[in-house]
Amino acid sequence: MPESNAAPTEKTDDRPVMHKRVEHKEDGRTLIYYTFEKSVNEQKKSESEAAK
């Protein structure tokens, strides 16, 4: 198997927390919802932009 040329990912504290919600419908479908919490930096940015 060839070696991967992909760079290792950096772990940062800026990543938002992801929540996964799964719903199973009666007709057999499965719906998956992903929601992300806003990081503290994003909240500050959106508040300052809203104040303008």
Side-chain angles (χ1 to χ4, degrees):
M1 180 174 252
E3 288 186 33
S4 172
N5 293 334
T9 57
E10 295 180 19
K11 292 185 179 181
T12 62
D13 294 333
D14 293 338
R15 284 188 148 171
V17 176
M18 181 179 71
H19 298 280
K20 179 179 177 181
R21 181 170 54 100
V22 179
E23 286 185 14
H24 298 282
K25 297 293 183 177
E26 292 177 10
D27 60 1
R29 293 180 298 155
T30 302
L31 302 178
I32 303 172
Y33 299 94
Y34 293 98
T35 55
F36 296 89
E37 288 182 5
K38 286 189 175 183
S39 67
V40 175
N41 292 338
E42 283 184 39
Q43 287 176 350
K44 287 179 183 177
K45 270 192 235 178
S46 61
E47 287 174 5
S48 63
E49 288 176 3
K52 290 182 182 179

